[in-house]
């Protein structure tokens, strides 16, 4: 909708645009590739003569117990240096070239082991969604049973307590769960962390089902955060490190898509157990089964995760190169692809260690301007994923629908299931648009729509009670969900995973997921009281206003990252924040005139050096992605 900039055939900049370019070029001179440590990770193999590269690859194979594969690693090193030049490399035979061609032309034809791993990661995401959704239906039953009904007694106190119980896992995630993922990954590996977090999810889901006071349920749900936090920070990284580069973005995005599926399936479980009757000495069996049901798929993960290969990057970090190669052989179609990716990850790890040893990476996340701008952009998209209002509906839609025309609890749960279904189905378009239309443009298009539909939902409570009110409330929520799902749904995790430079990516993702879960906690704990104090009209209006804020923040401070190499991302995040914001304020009216009013206003000059460039672009090759 609003491209970052145009790519003119000839630049005739006015004085303001010239100033943008001068400031940007002047700043880039200060972070020139020669002086920019991040740029050293763009492609450490670039410029090495072929003879030396072949010798280096042979020495690498012999020194890591892979001497019997010397020739394969020599070929892989040459391909890693320039993936697009494989047709002209004399060391490769016709079979090698055919494999590399098919990697581009048949990118979804991958080994069954890779898709098994994708299914496992998707199931982990679905567990996440179920953990978030089953509480929606359980709210209707455990709150009155535990004396924290929001319609009786001290309603103000009860609203806060209900919010506290619902938000307990996200409180744990924000302050503990996400931050223990780094040491867990270090000592137990990706699979070990997923195994432990899934086991914790299973045990705490069962624990929730046997509680008898609100504070006991709060404690059980707090410990559930140790299952949610490490899993949410590890599974996308595990998928990214194992996936081939040509489909890495789509596979990482599966996390959000199948989280949405888990949310929908959580509502199915709510409906399935809704009519379960109490048994002797068991009060509230229905809501207990709802909460415990989320643990069942987590148990499948516990039994399956060690059937998948470990992350090659983690194994190499432990010096287990032979096992890393065996892992890649299971995840790639041919030995040359496995050797290419293994060797490239190796040189990246060496360059990272040489360049950044002794630095405090957490401090550099905020002290280095390039990293700080990436952290700011990631903070905005993660914060807005919560304050756009989606989890208000995910956690409390049954209560919202019950308040509309005083529908029955069963009708409210059925309406909530409709929300979950749309949330999942409309995540699919993002698979095709996130890498073409772009992350930033998806957000700028959908945030105004979300604001409009939230206002529509809130104002519909002014309609006299009846079927008309319920219909408009449901329509507003459903339209809002349709706008959310292809935009602010999948973008935050994808954006955060690529915005940070490699050497601070793990710390950056921990920071980003902690931001996400902290504000998830804030939303979950405050909404019952917000609904009681402001009524639905004010509560939905509040989040509609945050969507307007989100549009402005993304316009000014969130640059586009789609299809950019590491070098180009350095250029993007090296542009000073005030320069980027000033340029976008000029670009907004220009693009409205051009794309909406169809006026002939010409083109704006590019903001970045790589836009409109005619010289060769050096994209990071095979193993780069999340290495």
């Amino acid at each position: 909708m609003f491209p970052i900039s145009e790519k003119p055939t000839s630049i005739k900049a006015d004085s303001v645009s010239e100033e943008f370019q001068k400031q940007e070029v002047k700043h880039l001179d200060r972070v020139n590739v020669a002086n920019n440590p991040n740029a050293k990770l763009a492609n450490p193999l670039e410029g090495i003569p072929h003879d030396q590269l072949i010798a280096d690859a042979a020495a690498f194979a012999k020194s890591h117990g892979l001497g019997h594969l010397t020739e394969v690693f020599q070929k892989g090193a040459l391909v890693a240096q320039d993936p697009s030049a494989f047709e002209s490399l004399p060391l490769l035979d016709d079979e090698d070239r055919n494999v590399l061609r098919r990697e581009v032309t048949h990118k979804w034809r991958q080994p069954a082991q890779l898709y098994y791993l994708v299914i496992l990661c998707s199931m982990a995401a679905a567990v996440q969604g179920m953990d978030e959704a089953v509480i929606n239906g359980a709210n209707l039953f455990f709150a009155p049973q535990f004396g924290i009904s929001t319609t009786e007694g001290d309603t103000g106190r009860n609203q806060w307590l209900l919010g506290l119980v619902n938000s307990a896992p996200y409180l744990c995630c924000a302050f503990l769960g996400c931050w223990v993922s780094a040491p867990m990954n270090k000592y137990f590996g990706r699979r070990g962390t997923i195994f432990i977090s899934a086991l914790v999810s299973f045990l705490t889901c069962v624990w929730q089902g046997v509680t008898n006071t609100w504070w006991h349920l709060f404690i059980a749900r707090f410990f559930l955060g140790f299952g949610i936090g490490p899993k949410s920070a590890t599974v996308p990284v595990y998928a990214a490190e194992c996936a081939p580069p040509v489909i890495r973005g789509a596979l990482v995005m599966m996390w959000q898509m199948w989280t949405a599926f888990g949310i929908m399936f959580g509502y199915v479980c709510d409906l399935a157990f809704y009519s379960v009757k109490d048994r002797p000495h068991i009060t509230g069996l229905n809501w207990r089964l709802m909460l415990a049901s989320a643990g069942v798929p987590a148990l499948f993960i516990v039994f399956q995760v060690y059937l998948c290969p470990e992350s090659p990057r983690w194994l190499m970090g432990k010096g287990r190169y032979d096992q890393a190669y065996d892992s890649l052989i299971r995840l790639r179609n041919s030995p040359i692809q496995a050797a290419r990716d293994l060797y490239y990850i190796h040189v990246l790890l060496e360059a990272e260690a040489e360049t950044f040893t002794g630095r405090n990476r957490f401090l550099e996340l905020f002290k280095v301007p390039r990293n700080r701008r990436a952290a700011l952009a990631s903070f905005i998209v993660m914060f807005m994923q919560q304050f756009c209002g989606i989890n208000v509906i995910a956690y409390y839609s049954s209560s919202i629908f019950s308040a509309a025309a005083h529908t029955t609890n069963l009708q409210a749960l059925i309406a909530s299931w409709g929300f979950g279904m749309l949330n999942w189905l409309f995540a699919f378009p993002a698979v095709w648009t996130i890498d073409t239309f772009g992350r930033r443009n998806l957000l700028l298009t959908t945030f105004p729509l979300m604001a409009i539909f939230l206002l529509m939902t809130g104002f519909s409570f002014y309609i006299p009670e009846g079927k008309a009110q319920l219909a408009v409330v449901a329509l507003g929520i459903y339209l809002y969900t349709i706008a959310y799902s292809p935009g602010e749904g999948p973008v935050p995790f994808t954006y955060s995973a690529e915005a940070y430079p490699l050497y601070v990516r793990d710390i950056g993702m921990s920071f980003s997921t902690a931001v996400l879960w902290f504000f998830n906690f804030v939303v979950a704990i405050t909404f019952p009281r917000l609904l009681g104090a402001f009524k639905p009209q004010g509560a939905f209006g509040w989040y509609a206003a945050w969507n307007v804020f989100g549009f402005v923040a993304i316009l000014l401070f969130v640059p586009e990252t789609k299809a950019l190499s590491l070098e180009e991302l350095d250029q993007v995040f090296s542009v000073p924040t005030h320069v980027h914001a000033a340029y976008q304020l000029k670009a907004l009216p220009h693009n409205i005139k051009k794309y909406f009013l169809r006026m002939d206003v010409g083109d704006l000059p590019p903001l970045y050096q790589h836009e409109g460039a005619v010289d060769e672009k050096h994209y990071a090759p095979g193993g780069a992605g999340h290495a």
Side-chain angles (χ1 to χ4, degrees):
M1 178 178 173
F2 300 122
I4 292 177
S5 64
E6 302 301 317
K7 297 182 179 180
T9 54
S10 62
I11 298 176
K12 296 180 180 179
D14 57 25
S15 58
V16 177
S17 298
E18 287 176 352
E19 183 61 25
F20 286 139
Q21 290 180 301
K22 288 177 182 177
Q23 291 187 58
E24 196 260 346
V25 171
K26 180 180 178 181
H27 184 77
L28 286 174
D29 287 341
R30 296 197 298 269
V31 290
N32 189 274
V33 171
N35 301 315
N36 182 5
N38 292 326
K40 296 180 182 180
L41 299 178
N43 188 350
L45 297 175
E46 189 171 0
I48 299 176
H50 280 192
D51 291 345
Q52 181 184 339
L53 187 59
I54 290 172
D56 291 345
F60 163 80
K62 291 176 183 177
S63 64
H64 290 91
L66 298 166
H68 59 292
L69 298 168
T70 296
E71 184 179 353
V72 176
F73 275 97
Q74 289 172 331
K75 293 178 180 180
L78 291 173
V79 176
Q81 185 182 50
D82 188 354
S84 62
F86 65 87
E87 296 283 4
S88 60
L89 294 175
L91 202 61
L92 272 61
D93 56 32
D94 289 340
E95 183 179 349
D96 296 328
R97 294 190 181 94
N98 187 52
V99 166
L100 295 172
R101 286 189 203 107
R102 290 180 67 82
E103 184 178 49
V104 177
T105 59
H106 298 74
K107 64 180 182 179
W108 292 103
R109 187 163 294 176
Q110 302 292 339
Q113 187 68 224
L114 177 68
Y115 285 112
Y116 183 74
L117 183 147
V118 171
I119 291 171
L120 178 91
C121 292
S122 299
M123 188 175 293
V127 171
Q128 191 99 337
M130 287 188 68
D131 286 334
E132 295 181 35
V134 290
I135 194 70
N136 195 314
N139 280 333
L140 300 172
F141 303 101
F142 76 75
Q145 182 177 333
F146 290 166
I148 54 173
S149 172
T150 58
T151 58
E152 299 174 0
D154 187 347
T155 55
R157 167 187 173 274
N158 293 347
Q159 287 160 356
W160 281 114
L161 291 179
L162 179 62
L164 183 65
V165 170
N166 283 346
S167 63
Y170 319 120
L171 176 65
C172 177
C173 287
F175 293 103
L176 295 172
C178 289
W179 298 106
V180 300
S181 65
M184 286 178 67
N185 276 274
K186 179 179 179 180
Y187 292 110
F188 303 114
R190 310 301 190 213
R191 294 183 305 176
T193 301
I194 294 170
F195 173 87
I196 294 170
S197 59
L199 183 61
V200 169
S201 289
F202 168 73
L203 294 174
T204 51
C205 284
V206 175
W207 184 6
Q208 290 180 94
V210 297
T211 56
N212 282 306
T213 62
W214 69 262
W215 55 265
H216 190 189
L217 181 57
F218 167 81
I219 295 172
R221 287 184 57 75
F222 183 87
F223 277 90
L224 177 61
F226 288 106
I228 293 176
K231 186 160 77 270
S232 67
T234 302
V235 172
V237 173
Y238 177 55
E241 289 179 344
C242 293
V246 290
I247 59 172
R248 179 174 290 118
L251 294 189
V252 173
M253 209 203 76
M254 291 292 120
W255 171 261
Q256 180 61 34
M257 178 178 294
W258 292 100
T259 297
F261 175 83
I263 291 173
M264 179 201 70
F265 198 74
Y267 295 138
V268 171
C269 292
D270 287 344
L271 286 167
F273 296 118
Y274 175 83
S275 298
V276 172
K277 303 297 183 183
D278 290 346
R279 298 292 187 267
H281 311 297
I282 302 178
T283 304
L285 182 59
N286 55 356
W287 69 261
R288 298 177 188 278
L289 291 173
M290 291 176 188
L291 294 181
S293 66
V296 176
L299 199 59
F300 282 102
I301 296 172
V302 168
F303 291 130
Q304 299 293 319
V305 66
Y306 279 105
L307 299 179
C308 292
E310 181 56 272
S311 160
R313 187 193 191 281
W314 184 84
L315 290 169
M316 292 170 69
K318 297 296 182 181
R320 291 146 63 176
Y321 279 72
D322 54 338
Q323 295 179 35
Y325 179 76
D326 292 340
S327 179
L328 276 169
I329 280 292
R330 295 170 64 185
L331 297 167
R332 300 293 184 268
N333 285 315
S334 72
I336 191 173
Q337 291 169 310
R340 174 200 63 191
D341 291 356
L342 186 77
Y343 188 72
Y344 194 81
I345 296 171
H346 164 72
V347 296
L348 275 175
L349 288 172
E350 284 201 329
E352 182 180 332
E354 178 184 348
T355 306
F356 302 108
T357 297
R359 299 189 181 202
N360 187 314
R361 300 191 183 196
F362 183 80
L363 292 180
E364 292 218 347
L365 187 63
F366 304 101
K367 287 174 62 178
V368 177
R370 180 261 185 266
N371 300 345
R372 185 170 61 247
R373 295 183 190 105
L376 173 63
S378 178
F379 175 91
I380 289 171
V381 295
M382 287 296 203
F383 166 77
M384 285 310 307
Q385 189 178 65
Q386 302 309 310
F387 267 68
C388 72
I390 187 63
N391 282 331
V392 164
I393 299 171
Y395 303 153
Y396 298 108
S397 60
S398 297
S399 301
I400 294 168
F401 284 123
S402 291
H406 296 294
T407 57
T408 66
N409 288 342
L410 181 61
Q411 290 172 326
L413 285 173
I414 293 173
S416 295
W417 174 82
F419 154 75
M421 174 64 78
L422 291 172
N423 186 30
W424 178 54
L425 289 179
F426 280 88
F428 280 91
V431 175
W432 294 275
T433 57
I434 197 167
D435 286 320
T436 54
F437 193 51
R439 292 91 159 109
R440 172 183 162 86
N441 288 335
L442 279 172
L443 297 178
L444 291 176
T445 302
T446 54
F447 264 97
L449 295 175
M450 289 193 289
I452 292 170
F453 295 139
L454 282 180
L455 286 175
M456 172 183 171
T457 304
F459 290 164
S460 62
F461 280 87
Y462 285 119
I463 299 173
E465 288 186 4
K467 292 183 178 180
Q469 184 194 65
L470 177 62
V472 180
V473 168
L475 179 63
I477 288 177
Y478 292 166
L479 290 175
Y480 165 82
T481 307
I482 290 170
Y484 164 86
S485 295
E488 186 61 5
V491 166
F493 271 97
T494 304
Y495 193 97
S496 298
E498 64 194 1
Y500 297 107
L502 293 175
Y503 83 105
V504 294
R505 185 166 290 166
D506 284 345
I507 296 294
M509 279 300 290
S510 292
F511 165 73
S512 297
T513 51
V515 167
L516 178 88
W517 292 119
F518 173 74
F519 287 106
N520 193 326
F521 161 74
V522 171
V523 166
I525 193 174
T526 57
F527 188 73
R529 185 64 193 126
L530 188 70
L531 194 63
F534 287 4
K535 305 306 178 188
Q537 297 90 328
F540 283 103
W542 167 256
Y543 286 108
W546 276 110
N547 279 280
V548 175
F549 168 83
F551 174 85
V552 175
I554 289 160
L555 176 71
L556 300 182
F557 306 119
V558 178
E560 183 60 79
T561 58
K562 72 173 177 104
L564 298 182
S565 70
L566 291 172
E567 293 166 307
E568 291 168 337
L569 281 172
D570 275 346
Q571 290 182 23
V572 167
F573 288 108
S574 291
V575 173
T577 304
H578 72 279
V579 174
H580 179 271
Y583 184 92
Q584 300 305 332
L585 286 175
K586 180 177 177 62
L588 178 62
H590 171 274
N591 290 329
I592 291 175
K593 292 175 184 176
K594 182 172 183 177
Y595 294 105
F596 285 93
L597 303 180
R598 299 296 179 180
M599 297 171 61
D600 184 10
V601 292
D603 293 326
L604 286 176
L607 177 59
Y608 307 118
Q609 284 185 338
H610 65 265
E611 291 184 321
V614 296
D615 57 326
E616 184 181 358
K617 294 164 67 174
H618 300 279
Y619 286 94
H626 205 93

